Amino acid sequence: MNEETRNRFGPHPFTKEALEHLYHYNDYTGFIVIENNSTFIIGYAIVKLGYLEHDHPRLFSYNIQPNHTTDATYAPSLANDWQGKGIGKVLWNHTKNYLQKLQKQRVILWGGVQEDNMVAVNYYNKIGFIKIGSYEYNGKNNLDMVCTIQ
């Protein structure tokens, strides 16, 4: 992961231990993408069933009524060298299929995406996320995005 990516959102380390800690101790679900010819973790997605409580006022201000029964929250991360190769779409499709089996109807992008991160914004638009609003965090404008799934 390069310095620009690390500065954008400070993702969790791409280590088995860090991801196991996230999934086990925080009661999140997740998926890990491992390179075929090694055990190198090249990406992951963290999924929280429902929504983050601290996001409720912001989502409500966009006329979104969050619902723990029908919503899920999604946070993907992919190593820079693997971006643009279709892996993010595969990760999303796997996550979406999992959420559909749980009868989730809407996915909220965890923490949004920095507006000037056009690679990520374009990725989210391509897989069906739409902008519902924006907010400032640490001097950066962030877009809140959601995706409706059937």
Side-chain angles (χ1 to χ4, degrees):
M1 173 171 317
N2 69 23
E3 192 64 26
E4 179 185 356
T5 299
R6 201 173 289 108
N7 288 335
R8 284 212 178 270
F9 65 104
H12 308 284
F14 278 42
T15 64
K16 181 181 178 199
E17 295 78 19
L19 295 172
E20 284 176 346
H21 180 78
L22 279 170
Y23 299 147
H24 179 72
Y25 293 104
N26 292 303
D27 197 30
Y28 302 143
T29 300
F31 303 99
I32 298 173
V33 182
I34 299 174
E35 182 182 40
N36 277 339
N37 298 324
S38 71
T39 58
F40 181 69
I41 296 172
I42 60 174
Y44 62 87
I46 303 169
V47 177
K48 176 180 175 31
L49 301 180
Y51 61 92
L52 301 171
E53 291 294 334
H54 68 270
D55 287 344
H56 186 275
R58 196 174 68 246
L59 295 168
F60 193 74
S61 76
Y62 308 139
N63 294 317
I64 298 284
Q65 182 57 55
N67 184 312
H68 283 298
T69 303
T70 58
D71 288 339
T73 305
Y74 177 63
S77 186
L78 194 61
N80 296 78
D81 291 346
W82 294 91
Q83 294 176 9
K85 299 179 187 312
I87 296 168
K89 186 174 183 180
V90 170
L91 182 60
W92 165 245
N93 286 336
H94 188 76
T95 303
K96 183 172 73 169
N97 289 338
Y98 166 77
L99 293 172
Q100 286 172 321
K101 288 177 185 172
L102 296 177
Q103 299 181 345
K104 299 301 176 183
Q105 298 171 7
R106 181 174 51 203
V107 181
I108 302 163
L109 184 58
W110 195 316
V113 58
Q114 290 180 2
E115 185 174 39
D116 65 353
N117 184 354
M118 293 312 299
V119 170
V121 171
N122 289 336
Y123 163 74
Y124 292 121
N125 285 326
K126 190 174 185 178
I127 63 172
F129 280 77
I130 59 168
K131 175 187 167 187
I132 57 170
S134 63
Y135 68 99
E136 187 179 316
Y137 181 74
N138 286 340
K140 293 278 191 173
N141 197 41
N142 294 274
L143 305 178
D144 275 317
M145 301 180 83
V146 299
C147 180
T148 302
I149 57 176
Q150 307 299 332

